[in-house]
Amino acid sequence: MSDQPIGPIDATRVPRYAGPATFARLPRTDEVDHVDVAVVGVPFDSGVSYRPGARFGPAHVRASSKLLRPYHPALDVSPFAAQQVADAGDIAVNPFDITEAMKTVELAARELGAGGTKLLTIGGDHTIALPLLRAVAAEHGPVAVVHFDAHLDTWDTYFGEPTTHGTPFRRASEEGLLDQERCLHVGIRGPLYSREDLREDGVLGFQVVHADDYQDATVASVVERMRRRLGEGPVYVSIDIDVLDPAHAPGTGTPEAGGLTSRELLHTLRGLVGLDIVGADIVEVAPAYDHAELTGIAAAHVAYELLSVLARNRQ
């Protein structure tokens, strides 16, 4: 095969509504001889506490990614030419046993990431961040996490269940997967269960950029704070699509008013250029509640932004 990466199907020859159903109409992993970044789906939502449906998220985001183009002008990079990006399909998990499902995700992530391939994972609910972090930490040691979300996701249990979409970062902190001096939530807003939620969150290693901070400061100042906190060393990026306001992402399970705009999120993600990004996930897209693909398109562009950051980091 050619040493040059194989990119998406040419949209000037094959209409965007045709062609393969892969992310951005990219090749599958079995169609290339090496993979720098694998886009993989995890159709799992058994860990949700409110509206279900994120198991259909990977297919929806892929369908919404057909309009992506090969050049990113803001970052001056061609993410599909600078690296080999390929679609690894979905990790099939047990929908009735959360513990078994998490083991399956971790094992698959380790196998896909062997040889230095980075994973961009599309969920699925936020429970999957825990096994993905287990796989990343097994290779890199404790990592910084920058977590974009309306919610902290550091609660202890729901109905006595320790592994849900509201608990992954508490479990990750307890298991020693996180560098507790370098973790950050971005976009937090809405009611909490008690004042203690924020105190306990700090003990687990997180600082918080609230959604309201975007109102009171510039995106550039938020990026500066984010970069200062993340510092040197491996960084994992976890993005719950409900970090966006429901006006920008209605198709999600636990929407909260007062969120980020898609432009604010994309600009913030560009601020990750130069950091050691070792993996990322985009979760909680629930297409049953989406309208005109608003949420799917937002998630697809978030994925494109992350791929562009990874491509810039290779230059």
Side-chain angles (χ1 to χ4, degrees):
M1 290 188 179
S2 170
D3 292 335
Q4 297 300 314
I6 300 174
I9 297 294
D10 187 348
T12 66
R13 295 179 178 271
V14 180
R16 295 188 184 278
Y17 44 82
T22 55
F23 181 84
R25 306 199 305 171
L26 286 160
R28 302 187 310 268
T29 52
D30 62 352
E31 296 176 312
V32 297
D33 57 7
H34 79 283
V35 181
D36 297 310
V37 185
V39 180
V40 60
V42 183
F44 172 88
D45 64 4
S46 301
V48 299
S49 58
Y50 193 48
R51 302 193 305 200
R55 66 182 60 183
F56 301 107
H60 189 62
V61 175
R62 286 185 176 107
S64 300
S65 70
K66 291 180 180 293
L67 199 59
L68 294 174
R69 298 179 178 89
Y71 174 67
H72 190 308
L75 291 180
D76 187 24
V77 70
S78 298
F80 308 129
Q83 60 197 345
Q84 182 61 70
V85 186
D87 194 316
D90 288 342
I91 301 171
V93 296
N94 188 334
F96 303 110
D97 187 325
I98 293 177
T99 300
E100 180 184 326
M102 296 305 99
K103 290 179 180 177
T104 301
V105 173
E106 180 184 356
L107 178 61
R110 288 188 184 222
E111 291 177 349
L112 286 168
T117 297
K118 295 183 180 181
L119 301 189
L120 174 56
T121 307
I122 303 172
D125 74 52
H126 223 152
T127 315
I128 69 171
L130 179 58
L132 294 171
L133 283 168
R134 287 170 176 161
V136 166
E139 179 178 355
H140 299 280
V143 297
V145 167
V146 56
H147 167 222
F148 294 84
D149 204 322
H151 313 97
L152 298 171
D153 288 0
T154 52
W155 287 285
D156 191 9
T157 65
Y158 281 100
F159 298 93
E161 172 57 50
T163 308
T164 75
H165 75 159
T167 67
F169 300 108
R170 178 182 286 263
R171 299 288 90 82
S173 182
E174 292 171 345
E175 293 180 17
L177 309 179
L178 309 184
D179 181 343
Q180 294 189 353
E181 299 300 317
R182 299 170 51 229
C183 292
L184 184 70
H185 303 294
V186 179
I188 303 300
R189 62 188 187 276
L192 299 172
Y193 292 107
S194 76
R195 184 178 296 171
E196 289 298 300
D197 291 341
L198 288 170
R199 185 194 67 79
E200 292 182 10
D201 187 73
V203 171
L204 294 168
F206 285 89
Q207 291 185 2
V208 179
V209 174
H210 295 273
D212 286 348
D213 293 337
Y214 280 83
Q215 180 72 20
D216 301 330
T218 63
V219 173
S221 66
V222 170
V223 168
E224 180 183 3
R225 180 180 171 187
M226 176 181 69
R227 293 182 65 91
R228 187 167 58 247
R229 176 64 174 172
L230 295 175
E232 301 290 332
V235 177
Y236 185 86
V237 185
S238 188
I239 302 172
D240 186 325
I241 204 64
D242 73 23
V243 71
L244 297 177
D245 190 89
H248 297 263
T252 191
T254 49
E256 300 279 355
L260 275 59
T261 67
S262 55
R263 182 169 58 193
E264 288 170 335
L265 177 57
L266 297 181
H267 275 263
T268 304
L269 292 174
R270 288 171 200 166
L272 296 170
V273 167
L275 299 182
D276 183 15
I277 309 300
V278 295
D281 64 62
I282 305 163
V283 298
E284 300 285 353
V285 174
Y289 315 107
D290 205 5
H291 307 289
E293 288 188 293
L294 290 177
T295 313
I297 289 169
H301 279 265
V302 166
Y304 183 76
E305 209 70 42
L306 291 168
L307 291 170
S308 297
V309 168
L310 291 173
R312 272 291 303 270
N313 287 351
R314 296 175 65 87
Q315 295 180 345

